């Protein structure tokens, strides 16, 4: 029987400080897999401005199991991962962050769980070291909210460190959406799921590439792509705002008809009502806008990422979307690249 292939996908954005250690530890994992599996590493350079791409091409020259895909600019973590799922071959694909917060050695546990028959294996953080209390608190609140309102089940503490069987990858490749929260989509897929617990370590070097605004954008993508609940908030707010004012109106009518008090009182509450209803309206406009904006993005149907060049000589990549193939320029080391052949 042919040997199975395990490919590791690593999104990289300005990670020159961690790459040498990452390569050393991943190579060790590939060596440990080697008796049973062919292992490859695909580094997706998501618009790095430091020496990351230089280091990736050097590594690909040095070890044929490494290959680089350079995107034409920074498309974002989720797009970089999606690029990996779209192009990388293999019977099982592992996604892992570059910064060694996810220890590469855990890949061996993911593979064991896959061998036991799980087509989706999620790595769940037992504890998270080196994260600020703010990040831990907001992450916790976010997962609880998502758990309550989302149509997909993404367990708490599960990030983008996971293994997917080829069948699950091909299922995921059918999702056409532009704004994506990959771990939510993976939850939506179903399949027999394994969970491997691990301790998340502090970042090995460098700074987080997820500033607050990127986190908020990801959170908005997650909630909006997986739930209609924010739209329904309008009903709740409408009821909450209307009931007290209806009550107050009734109170005034009673005063007028039974106690013959004039109704001129109550201007402040009228103004209050205007302000509250005004802001509720604006809030709902904002929420509607988030959905409408995403519909607009989907209708435009732009490619999720554009490839600039590739490096290394690992096995041929799976054929890309035609639109993305247009952006491909093969690196000199990979003249036989299948990216440029029609799908
Ligand atoms: N990353 C990326 N594109 C981006 C931001 C991040 O490819 O626009 C990569 C980054 O290099 C890392 C992973 O995504 O491999 C997770 O980023 P980071 O560790 O900075 O996020 P955090 O762990 O702080 O949430
Ligand atoms: Mg990190």
């Amino acid at each position: 029987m042919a040997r199975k292939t395990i490919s590791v996908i690593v999104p990289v954005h300005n990670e020159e400080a961690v790459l040498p250690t990452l390569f050393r530890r991943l190579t060790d994992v590939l060596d440990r897999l080697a008796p049973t599996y062919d292992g490859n590493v695909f580094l997706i350079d998501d618009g790095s401005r430091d020496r990351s791409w230089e280091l990736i091409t050097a590594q690909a020259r040095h070890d044929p199991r490494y290959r680089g895909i350079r995107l034409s600019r920074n498309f974002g973590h989720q797009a970089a991962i999606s690029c990996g799922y779209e192009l990388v071959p293999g019977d099982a694909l592992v996604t892992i962050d570059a910064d060694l917060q996810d220890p590469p050695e855990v890949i061996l546990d993911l593979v064991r769980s896959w061998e036991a028959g799980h087509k989706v294996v999620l790595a769940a953080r037992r504890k998270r070291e080196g994260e600020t209390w703010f990040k831990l608190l907001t992450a916790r609140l976010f997962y609880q909210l998502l758990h309550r309102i989302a149509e997909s089940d993404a367990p708490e503490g599960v990030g983008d460190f996971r293994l997917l069987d080829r069948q699950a990858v091909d299922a995921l490749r059918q999702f056409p959406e532009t704004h994506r929260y990959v771990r939510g989509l993976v939850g939506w897929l179903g399949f027999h799921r394994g969970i491997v617990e691990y301790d998340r370590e502090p970042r090995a070097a460098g700074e987080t590439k997820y500033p607050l605004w990127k986190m908020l954008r990801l959170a908005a993508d997650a909630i909006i792509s997986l739930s209609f609940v924010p739209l329904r908030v309008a009903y709740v707010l409408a009821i909450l705002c209307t009931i007290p004012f209806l009550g107050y109106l009734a109170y005034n009518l009673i005063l007028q008809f039974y106690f013959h008090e004039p109704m001129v009182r109550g201007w402040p509450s009228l103004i209050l009502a205007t302000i509250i209803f005004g802001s509720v309206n604006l809030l709902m406009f904002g929420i509607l806008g988030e959905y409408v904006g995403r519909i607009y993005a989907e209708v435009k149907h732009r490619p999720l990422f554009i490839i600039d060049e590739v490096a290394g000589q690992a096995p041929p990549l799976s054929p890309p979307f035609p639109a993305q193939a247009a952006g491909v320029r093969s690196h000199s080391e990979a003249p036989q690249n299948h990216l440029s052949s029609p799908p």
Side-chain angles (χ1 to χ4, degrees), residues 97 99 101 200 203:
D97 285 356
D99 61 357
Q101 282 196 282
R200 191 154 160 99
R203 196 171 231 290

Side-chain angles (χ1 to χ4, degrees), residues 227-269:
S227 171
F228 289 114
V229 171
L231 289 173
R232 296 194 183 120
V233 168
Y235 303 128
V236 180
L237 288 177
I239 291 167
L240 285 182
C241 295
T242 310
I243 287 175
F245 289 101
L246 276 181
Y248 190 63
L249 183 67
Y251 169 71
N252 272 284
L253 288 174
I254 291 166
L255 279 187
Q256 186 176 17
F257 288 112
Y258 288 95
F259 302 99
H260 304 290
E261 293 210 17
M263 238 178 96
V264 237
R265 294 180 320 122
W267 275 112
S269 57

Side-chain angles (χ1 to χ4, degrees), residues 15 97-102 131 135 200-201 203 207-210:
E15 300 285 11
D97 285 356
D99 61 357
L100 297 168
Q101 282 196 282
D102 311 326
E131 307 253 38
K135 180 141 189 181
R200 191 154 160 99
E201 291 172 7
R203 196 171 231 290
E207 305 246 298
T208 174
K209 307 301 175 305
Y210 258 106

Side-chain angles (χ1 to χ4, degrees), residues 183-239:
R183 64 195 89 153
L185 301 183
V186 169
W188 191 96
L189 281 181
F191 287 117
H192 199 184
R193 195 155 84 178
I195 302 225
V196 169
E197 292 203 322
Y198 74 106
D199 294 329
R200 191 154 160 99
E201 291 172 7
R203 196 171 231 290
E207 305 246 298
T208 174
K209 307 301 175 305
Y210 258 106
L212 185 63
W213 65 271
K214 271 194 187 175
M215 290 295 290
L216 288 175
R217 217 168 59 181
L218 182 67
D221 279 343
I223 290 171
I224 290 172
S225 70
L226 297 172
S227 171
F228 289 114
V229 171
L231 289 173
R232 296 194 183 120
V233 168
Y235 303 128
V236 180
L237 288 177
I239 291 167

